[in-house]
Amino acid sequence: MDQFTINLLFVGGSFALYFGIAIWARAGSTKEFYVAGGGVHPILNGMATAADWMSAASFISMAGLIAAGGYANSTYLMGWTGGYVLLAMLLAPYLRKFGKFTVPDFIGDRFYSNTARLVAVACLIIASVTYVIGQMTGAGVAFSRFLEVDNNTGLLIAAVVVFFYAVLGGMKGITYTQVAQYVVLIIAYTIPAVFISLQLTDSVIPAIGLFSNHTESGVPLLQKLDEVVRELGFRDYTADVDNKLNMVLFTLSLMIGTAGLPHVIIRFFTVPKVADARWSAGWALVFIALLYLTAPAVASMARLNLLTTIYPSGPTEQSVEYAERPDWMQTWETTGLIKFDDKNADGRIQFYNDVPAFKDEATARGWEGNELTVNGDILVLANPEIANLPGWVVGLIAAGGLAAALSTAAGLLLAISSAISHDLIKGSINPNISDKGELRVARVSMFVAIAVATYLGMNPPGFAAQVVALAFGIAAASIFPALMMGIFSKRVNSAGAVAGMLAGLISTLVYIFLFLGWFFVPGTASFANTPANWWFGVSPLSFGAIGAVINFVVAFTVSSMTAPPPKEIQDLVESVRYPQGAGGAVDH
């Protein structure tokens, strides 16, 4: 059986499962559509939350980022993990106690302001649409490789699949579909990692194998990897970073940005009571840890496998001839994610760090420039092929990668549709709309969101990585502080909350646009995006943390200069924070 047929069986079988669940769990009311009826078991909700959390960025991109940058890019791992812990410990139980459908619902009621609700809706939609574009694009890349279709066709297939089970089932359908998707993605991620760890270190547990000896050389795996990358002019894989301030701010920005992203927050509204929200948060941490503890090992082993594939006799010896490149490289070349340019016309692949510091060594070896461009996002998907694992493992990871991208896309689309139908239409424009009408608006808005995300996935704006960082920056600078102050401060009033959200949002946008182009239009940046130009050494990708500080300062300052919240709002905050005797949450 050829690889295409195997891929088709795994991907097709998993999609048949998702469709079946969507039909079985079809939402019949707004409560089922928004919060799955509020009766999801904590363990199941933990699995669904883990699938919602571990997007294409976690499944596909995170290991590729760590593989490319080593320790320096471990900020993604630390930031995303820390963000979930913040969300689970400081936000989820209290928001569940408040008992609303959505994040703007909480902000609008807590700050007794329709303006605050609308600002929160705007922030949520901008952040979520930006995020979902990345998920749809990731799904398109995976489809284009494993179903051997072009990228646009892959995106359209992904859009149809998400539309079917997200629009039909709502949160109820998404929840049980995400449980199945978690099972698929964690098996798909773990099995290849175990095989590769056994190949390189004889350890069955990848996280332990990362710190074990490399079987062939007898030296620690990370030491072997450092030696190989150093010989090719790259920075040591385990090297420390120079700008510690920027690293801390970037990690913090990712943490509070992910804690403020609404598609995961909404998951904690689906359980029956506050205690279940805490338990589901704990279970989600367990399920997330299974992948996040494995990712650094996958990244390190993938980097070593890639380099030893190109330099089978070692980095100081002759590289592989292009005509004899392995089949997996030829396959990925058709996607455009691997590119080769024979600059010295010797028929061999030269892959190294083409920087001035390595120029003399490269010249001595007859190299005239790096000849291989490898998109880091392919490493996890290509890892089984690089390690010559069986075809069924390749098919399994294809299904897992698609499950990761589609599960998060569905959650984000639900957050968008909820914000439009429940917060904008019902909360502001037409409070008397019927449940049936609200459900219809939710489904139409989700369809429009899918269409927009698919179009932008086919025609992505420039600076894709920066656009994704903008999503985290918006959430970090606007939504997260508003939630924290809404829960833990009785003194912050509506004027302070609105002023804080706008100040954090606008300052973050301006700083990013100064270096990356106004509205990301190429050529419009006011300053070159280099460390020498960054204000106080702070990267645009790290500014979300500072935007959050601005939000807090402005909100508290404005609140102190204006009237305190009404007594009933202060009592409400008190009851949310100290729910003595309240085993059940406020009803939706």
Side-chain angles (χ1 to χ4, degrees):
M1 188 180 297
D2 62 23
Q3 188 60 57
F4 176 77
T5 305
I6 294 172
N7 294 342
L8 204 59
L9 287 174
F10 274 91
V11 174
S14 63
F15 282 2
L17 176 64
Y18 307 152
F19 285 153
I21 292 172
I23 294 171
W24 168 73
R26 189 176 191 274
S29 67
T30 53
K31 188 169 183 178
E32 287 185 340
F33 189 87
Y34 291 138
V35 291
V40 180
H41 191 279
I43 295 179
L44 293 180
N45 194 50
M47 295 179 76
T49 303
D52 212 353
W53 186 257
M54 292 185 296
S55 62
S58 289
F59 189 95
I60 298 173
S61 296
M62 183 171 65
L65 286 165
I66 297 173
Y71 172 73
N73 278 347
S74 64
T75 47
Y76 290 93
L77 182 66
M78 296 184 290
W80 287 335
T81 306
Y84 180 78
V85 174
L86 281 179
L87 170 62
M89 299 298 105
L90 295 181
L91 297 179
Y94 303 106
L95 292 173
R96 179 63 190 96
K97 175 63 174 70
F98 195 85
K100 292 297 181 179
F101 281 144
T102 66
V103 169
D105 228 3
F106 168 80
I107 291 176
D109 285 7
R110 160 58 185 87
F111 296 111
Y112 53 98
S113 167
N114 199 43
T115 302
R117 184 193 306 271
L118 292 177
V119 172
V121 167
C123 295
L124 184 152
I125 291 174
I126 295 170
S128 297
V129 168
T130 304
Y131 207 140
V132 79
I133 292 167
Q135 305 309 312
M136 299 299 288
T137 302
V141 170
F143 270 118
S144 67
R145 164 61 188 90
F146 292 112
L147 297 185
E148 298 180 13
V149 296
D150 65 78
N151 190 56
N152 287 349
T153 303
L155 264 171
L156 290 173
I157 295 172
V160 170
V161 173
V162 173
F163 176 79
F164 186 87
Y165 72 75
V167 173
L168 181 66
M171 179 58 87
K172 186 177 179 182
I174 287 172
T175 295
Y176 294 106
T177 301
Q178 286 177 334
V179 170
Q181 287 172 325
Y182 175 78
V183 174
V184 171
L185 74 86
I186 199 64
I187 291 174
Y189 203 86
T190 304
I191 288 180
V194 169
F195 273 114
I196 294 167
S197 180
L198 283 170
Q199 282 184 355
L200 294 179
T201 68
D202 290 334
S203 174
V204 72
I205 301 176
I208 295 176
L210 177 63
F211 300 101
S212 302
N213 285 341
H214 181 234
T215 304
E216 185 178 331
S217 63
V219 302
L221 178 74
L222 290 175
Q223 180 182 328
K224 173 65 177 178
L225 183 53
D226 274 345
E227 292 172 356
V228 172
V229 297
R230 194 182 308 125
E231 289 286 352
L232 295 172
F234 294 102
R235 182 187 178 93
D236 277 14
Y237 192 78
T238 59
D240 200 356
V241 295
D242 298 326
N243 190 339
K244 292 286 178 49
L245 172 64
N246 194 64
M247 184 179 187
V248 170
L249 287 176
F250 183 54
T251 304
L252 183 60
S253 183
L254 290 176
M255 286 175 63
I256 60 179
T258 50
L261 287 174
H263 70 288
V264 177
I265 293 175
I266 200 173
R267 287 239 51 92
F268 294 100
F269 300 156
T270 66
V271 292
K273 52 189 179 180
V274 175
D276 292 335
R278 295 183 185 276
W279 276 108
S280 62
W283 279 110
L285 276 172
V286 172
F287 294 130
I288 289 170
L290 294 178
L291 189 146
Y292 271 46
L293 289 173
T294 305
V298 170
S300 306
M301 295 172 187
R303 180 78 179 273
L304 185 58
N305 271 335
L306 174 64
L307 294 175
T308 52
T309 297
I310 297 170
Y311 297 94
S313 301
T316 59
E317 304 298 328
Q318 287 276 35
S319 58
V320 68
E321 290 187 15
Y322 179 71
E324 297 179 1
R325 68 196 187 284
D327 291 340
W328 70 265
M329 192 175 289
Q330 298 178 41
T331 305
W332 279 99
E333 279 182 296
T334 62
T335 68
L337 299 176
I338 289 183
K339 298 177 182 177
F340 172 70
D341 178 16
D342 193 3
K343 294 180 179 178
N344 64 350
D346 67 347
R348 295 184 179 274
I349 301 172
Q350 275 83 54
F351 182 54
Y352 67 99
N353 192 17
D354 191 5
V355 293
F358 197 69
K359 186 172 181 61
D360 290 342
E361 176 66 21
T363 301
R365 298 178 67 172
W367 297 348
E368 297 181 7
N370 178 58
E371 299 177 345
L372 191 69
T373 303
V374 180
N375 186 313
D377 286 347
I378 77 166
L379 287 181
V380 170
L381 297 177
N383 221 3
E385 298 171 279
I386 297 173
N388 294 315
L389 298 182
W392 66 269
V393 180
V394 178
L396 184 63
I397 206 163
L402 291 169
L406 297 178
S407 63
T408 302
L412 288 162
L413 290 165
L414 184 68
I416 294 167
S417 69
S418 300
I420 294 173
S421 61
H422 187 73
D423 299 307
L424 185 61
I425 304 298
K426 187 178 179 65
S428 300
I429 298 175
N430 184 11
N432 297 319
I433 190 172
S434 66
D435 275 6
K436 187 175 180 180
E438 186 180 348
L439 195 58
R440 186 182 304 114
V441 171
R443 285 178 167 144
V444 170
S445 60
M446 190 179 285
F447 170 78
V448 173
I450 291 173
V452 171
T454 303
Y455 172 77
L456 291 175
M458 291 179 177
N459 305 276
F463 308 98
Q466 292 91 335
V467 174
V468 171
L470 178 61
F472 286 99
I474 290 171
S478 58
I479 297 175
F480 175 78
L483 294 176
M484 288 292 290
M485 291 182 289
I487 293 169
F488 294 103
S489 173
K490 293 189 290 184
R491 184 61 183 85
V492 176
N493 58 22
S494 59
V498 171
M501 283 191 289
L502 290 175
L505 175 65
I506 293 171
S507 62
T508 301
L509 287 174
V510 169
Y511 190 81
I512 291 173
F513 290 155
L514 283 173
F515 293 97
L516 304 178
W518 291 91
F519 302 99
F520 297 106
V521 176
T524 61
S526 302
F527 305 98
N529 186 24
T530 60
N533 290 330
W534 295 343
W535 298 352
F536 304 102
V538 177
S539 162
L541 303 183
S542 308
F543 195 81
I546 296 177
V549 172
I550 293 172
N551 188 330
F552 280 115
V553 170
V554 170
F556 279 112
T557 301
V558 172
S559 296
S560 68
M561 298 169 63
T562 50
K567 179 68 164 56
E568 61 269 20
I569 296 296
Q570 297 187 45
D571 292 342
L572 176 64
V573 174
E574 188 79 12
S575 70
V576 168
R577 287 171 53 194
Y578 303 106
Q580 293 96 335
V586 177
D587 193 18
H588 290 289

